[in-house]
Amino acid sequence: SQKIEQNSEALNIQEGKTATLTCNYTNYSPAYLQWYRQDPGRGPVFLLLIRENEKEKRKERLKVTFDTTLKQSLFHITASQPADSATYLCAPASPPSGGYNKLIFGAGTRLAVHP
Amino acid sequence: GAGVSQSPRYKVAKRGQDVALRCDPISGHVSLFWYQQALGQGPEFLTYFQNEAQLDKSGLPSDRFFAERPEGSVSTLKIQRTQQEDSAVYLCASTLTGLAGIETQYFGPGTRLLVL
C-alpha cells in the first residue's frame, strides 16, 4: 500500500538557519506533490505544489525539490523565523480517473524555530 | 472573502450518542472533502462530493458514518452511536472546480470531537 514518511521527530533549529524537512514515499508514483502548513487548532494551509517534471520550485523563502528516482521531496525554509514554527505536511498525489484531487497526507513534521 | 467554516469547533459526546458536524465551503466551490485527523497524524480522507453527488465514500470507517450535501453547498457529516475511537479532528476542505487536474484545497479550522 502507499506509504508516506516524514521526519517523526520534531525539528528544532535556531532563527536564521535553514530548515530542511523530508518527505519519502513508497509504492507510489505521484504526478505532483503538495506541501501544507498546519498550526495548532487550525486546518492545513497550502504552501507549494511541485510537478513530477519539475526538479525545484521556489516561493519567497521556501524551496521544494522533487526527486522521482529517490521517491523523495525536500522542503526548505531559508532564514527561518519563529513565526515559521508549525507542522508541515506533504501530500503526494495523482488524480484518479475520476479527476478529483484526493490528498493522502504524511503524518507531518513539527518545526520549532528558536530565537 | 470568507473561507471554509465548520461548526461546532468543539464537540464532546457520550459514547453511543449521535453527532452532526457542519461544513460551509467557500461560496461557489464545486468540490468538498471530509478528512479525519487523529492526534499526531496527518489528515485521512473520508469522503468526496462534487456538487451534491457523493462520488467517493471509500474512506468512511464504518456504516456509522454518513455524509450529505443536499444542495451542493453546505455539508453535514453525521456519526451515529459514537465510539471512543471516533475522537479526532474532522476537517472539511473545498476546491473551486473539482475538474481533473491540480487544485489547492482550502481547509476549514476543523471540529474537534471527543467521545467519552
Side-chain angles (χ1 to χ4, degrees):
Chain A
S1 62
Q2 298 165 353
K3 191 174 180 182
I4 302 163
E5 291 183 339
Q6 295 187 250
N7 314 63
S8 56
E9 299 290 324
L11 181 62
N12 291 282
I13 65 167
Q14 205 69 28
E15 182 176 8
K17 300 294 185 183
T18 296
T20 298
L21 286 66
T22 305
C23 175
N24 295 297
Y25 55 90
T26 55
N27 300 323
Y28 203 7
S29 296
Y32 58 95
L33 191 147
Q34 300 187 33
W35 283 88
Y36 284 76
R37 168 182 173 145
Q38 188 172 25
D39 291 282
R42 295 178 178 267
V45 174
F46 171 79
L47 295 175
L48 276 172
L49 178 151
I50 186 165
R51 292 173 169 77
E52 62 180 336
N53 60 352
E54 297 175 316
K55 295 296 183 189
E56 181 180 297
K57 198 79 167 282
R58 291 176 185 262
K59 179 182 175 183
E60 298 172 351
R61 294 183 297 109
L62 309 180
K63 184 177 85 170
V64 172
T65 63
F66 192 9
D67 189 325
T68 55
T69 301
L70 291 178
K71 293 187 179 293
Q72 180 182 79
S73 175
L74 298 178
F75 178 82
H76 306 273
I77 306 175
T78 58
S80 60
Q81 305 166 1
D84 295 326
S85 299
T87 295
Y88 291 85
L89 302 160
C90 74
S94 292
S97 57
Y100 59 92
N101 185 6
K102 177 169 71 176
L103 295 179
I104 300 174
F105 286 92
T109 297
R110 188 160 57 86
L111 172 66
V113 181
H114 303 282
Chain B
V4 178
S5 61
Q6 294 186 245
S7 61
R9 291 295 315 277
Y10 303 93
K11 176 70 178 177
V12 179
K14 292 182 179 179
R15 189 163 58 90
Q17 188 177 354
D18 296 350
V19 298
L21 313 179
R22 177 188 169 105
C23 172
D24 281 84
I26 294 173
S27 178
H29 275 198
V30 168
S31 290
L32 186 146
F33 299 80
W34 283 97
Y35 294 87
Q36 180 190 59
Q37 187 172 25
L39 192 64
Q41 299 298 311
E44 288 195 12
F45 171 81
L46 293 176
T47 187
Y48 165 70
F49 289 87
Q50 191 169 93
N51 294 307
E52 68 278 4
Q54 188 176 20
L55 300 186
D56 188 343
K57 51 183 181 179
S58 62
L60 296 176
S62 77
D63 58 8
R64 296 186 295 104
F65 287 71
F66 172 77
E68 60 182 5
R69 194 185 184 198
E71 297 178 358
S73 55
V74 170
S75 177
T76 303
L77 176 67
K78 298 179 180 178
I79 309 173
Q80 298 176 324
R81 305 181 303 281
T82 52
Q83 303 294 315
Q84 287 186 320
E85 61 263 28
D86 300 335
S87 296
V89 174
Y90 291 86
L91 293 163
C92 173
S94 69
T95 66
L96 181 59
T97 70
L99 297 176
I102 303 167
E103 286 192 308
T104 297
Q105 293 198 11
Y106 296 88
F107 283 83
T111 294
R112 184 176 296 274
L113 173 66
L114 176 62
V115 182
L116 302 176

